[in-house]
Amino acid sequence: MFRITLDIERSWSISVKHSFDGLLGEFFKSRYAFTSEQTEAILLGYDESSKIKLPRDYPKVVKILKEKKSVISDIVSTTRSIYQNYLSSIGFTDIEITPVVTDVGYSGTIQKLLAMITKREIYGVYMITTASGEIDIDGYTVSIDHIYKTNVNMGGGYMMLDRSMFLESLLTAPNGQFVDILLDKNSNKYHFCFGKRTYTQENFTDLEMLLSGALECVFDCHVNNIQYSIEEVEAIFNAHVTQRNLLPRASWPLFELDDAISGQGNLNPLDFFGL
């Protein structure tokens, strides 16, 4: 989504400002999945090896994007068109329905970008949000709702958000990050391209076993009318993300996620938080 909306100026405050510390060329490759050749074309006349730090250098990056907007459009416009057609083929743009997207949290980034390219209202449900409510995107309403808590920010002390990496590493698909979509004109079928896979995705059968147990627990609670309050869920989460010994040793390698967007590669929250 970041890549196919990069020639839309309104998207820049959403996709560019995320923290990053590294080389200019690597920023375009890791965050937007541009190839080396594409990055070279975009940064022609600039030093790819120059250091940038975001959000501090946001004005510098925006200056490049404005200057190279036509180059970027030439690269991303075809893919965006194919993706828009794909969304239409699965009913996402059906005017009779309001599509719903869901995620761990927390600011509705992808939801907002989807609204930009589909020109329609989208409803989002998240575990945690920085601000629930309605936002106008080019005349269309983006509704953001939460399950556990809202009006919280990263680093503000709310553990389910501050240590959401634990959730993000487990609530993943087996494919790796979605980086491109192609259309086979002969069969009229869509083909998806993915980035590198983490340990969790390479060993997805282990994760499936874990998730199967979690779903079984939810089903058992439903059958026996066992309910947990928000405060109880928060307490259980807080205990497990602050005490390594509460997590089965066999599950430790599964806590890995790709944080290439920030230029940090793969991260394991157990190590990141010093557990």
Side-chain angles (χ1 to χ4, degrees), residues 101-112 122-135 142-162 164 167-168 230 234:
V101 296
T102 184
D103 203 347
V104 174
Y106 52 99
S107 59
T109 298
I110 300 302
Q111 181 185 358
K112 294 170 186 174
I122 301 174
Y123 189 84
V125 182
Y126 303 88
M127 292 186 180
I128 319 109
T129 64
T130 52
S132 292
E134 295 184 346
I135 301 171
V142 169
S143 300
I144 297 177
D145 204 354
H146 66 280
I147 297 173
Y148 294 109
K149 202 172 186 68
T150 187
N151 297 321
V152 289
N153 294 295
M154 187 70 76
Y158 184 63
M159 199 68 74
M160 196 175 286
L161 176 58
D162 288 350
S164 57
L167 295 170
E168 291 169 3
I230 289 177
E234 291 170 340

Side-chain angles (χ1 to χ4, degrees), residues 206-221:
D206 294 342
L207 182 58
E208 282 185 311
M209 186 181 300
L210 186 153
L211 296 178
S212 176
L215 290 172
E216 186 177 335
C217 178
V218 171
F219 179 76
D220 184 62
C221 288

Side-chain angles (χ1 to χ4, degrees), residues 18 54 127 138 152 175 210 220 264 274:
H18 286 283
L54 293 166
M127 292 186 180
D138 299 333
V152 289
N175 315 98
L210 186 153
D220 184 62
Q264 300 189 60

Side-chain angles (χ1 to χ4, degrees), residues 4 8 29 37 54 63 102 107 109 116 134 166 174 179 194 198 219 223 227-228 238-239 242 257 264 266 268:
I4 63 174
I8 301 174
K29 293 174 187 175
E37 184 179 1
L54 293 166
K63 178 178 178 295
T102 184
S107 59
T109 298
M116 287 182 195
E134 295 184 346
F166 283 93
V179 297
F194 302 94
T198 64
F219 179 76
V223 169
Q227 299 181 14
Y228 291 89
N238 292 356
T242 55
L257 71 159
Q264 300 189 60
N266 290 357
N268 186 309

Side-chain angles (χ1 to χ4, degrees), residues 11-267:
S11 76
W12 297 345
S13 62
I14 297 175
S15 72
V16 178
K17 282 188 174 180
H18 286 283
S19 63
F20 179 88
D21 191 356
L23 304 181
L24 179 61
E26 286 304 314
F27 168 72
F28 280 89
K29 293 174 187 175
S30 61
R31 182 159 301 183
Y32 298 100
F34 287 121
T35 65
S36 295
E37 184 179 1
Q38 290 169 338
T39 300
E40 186 177 332
I42 295 169
L43 295 179
L44 185 64
Y46 288 89
D47 182 5
E48 290 186 37
S49 62
S50 62
K51 286 272 292 181
I52 63 167
K53 187 171 184 177
L54 293 166
R56 183 194 68 192
D57 292 326
Y58 176 69
K60 176 181 178 180
V61 176
V62 165
K63 178 178 178 295
I64 296 172
L65 295 178
K66 286 182 176 180
E67 182 182 325
K68 303 291 185 173
K69 188 176 177 181
S70 61
V71 177
I72 295 170
S73 290
D74 288 342
I75 296 172
V76 306
S77 58
T78 299
T79 301
R80 182 168 63 237
S81 178
I82 293 173
Y83 188 60
Q84 288 170 323
N85 290 336
Y86 165 73
L87 291 175
S88 179
S89 74
I90 62 172
F92 193 90
T93 58
D94 188 339
I95 60 173
E96 299 297 324
I97 64 168
T98 298
V100 177
V101 296
T102 184
D103 203 347
V104 174
Y106 52 99
S107 59
T109 298
I110 300 302
Q111 181 185 358
K112 294 170 186 174
L113 295 177
L114 278 169
M116 287 182 195
I117 66 170
T118 59
K119 305 296 184 185
R120 63 159 309 148
E121 297 181 354
I122 301 174
Y123 189 84
V125 182
Y126 303 88
M127 292 186 180
I128 319 109
T129 64
T130 52
S132 292
E134 295 184 346
I135 301 171
D136 179 81
I137 301 288
D138 299 333
Y140 297 90
T141 302
V142 169
S143 300
I144 297 177
D145 204 354
H146 66 280
I147 297 173
Y148 294 109
K149 202 172 186 68
T150 187
N151 297 321
V152 289
N153 294 295
M154 187 70 76
Y158 184 63
M159 199 68 74
M160 196 175 286
L161 176 58
D162 288 350
R163 302 204 173 185
S164 57
M165 276 197 285
F166 283 93
L167 295 170
E168 291 169 3
S169 59
L170 298 182
L171 298 177
T172 186
N175 315 98
Q177 288 196 22
F178 172 40
V179 297
D180 205 354
I181 184 171
L182 306 172
L183 176 64
D184 185 332
K185 293 184 178 179
N186 294 319
S187 63
N188 210 35
K189 291 182 177 180
Y190 296 98
H191 297 279
F192 302 93
C193 305
F194 302 94
K196 66 177 182 178
R197 297 197 294 181
T198 64
Y199 176 92
T200 308
Q201 291 156 338
E202 291 285 0
N203 297 272
F204 201 75
T205 52
D206 294 342
L207 182 58
E208 282 185 311
M209 186 181 300
L210 186 153
L211 296 178
S212 176
L215 290 172
E216 186 177 335
C217 178
V218 171
F219 179 76
D220 184 62
C221 288
H222 177 71
V223 169
N224 293 285
N225 197 30
I226 299 172
Q227 299 181 14
Y228 291 89
S229 67
I230 289 177
E231 292 74 20
E232 288 173 324
V233 173
E234 291 170 340
I236 293 170
F237 180 83
N238 292 356
H240 282 79
V241 299
T242 55
Q243 302 174 74
R244 189 184 188 112
N245 62 305
L246 292 182
L247 299 167
R249 180 178 290 271
S251 72
W252 293 355
L254 295 177
F255 292 100
E256 184 178 83
L257 71 159
D258 182 2
D259 194 33
I261 284 177
S262 296
Q264 300 189 60
N266 290 357
L267 292 178

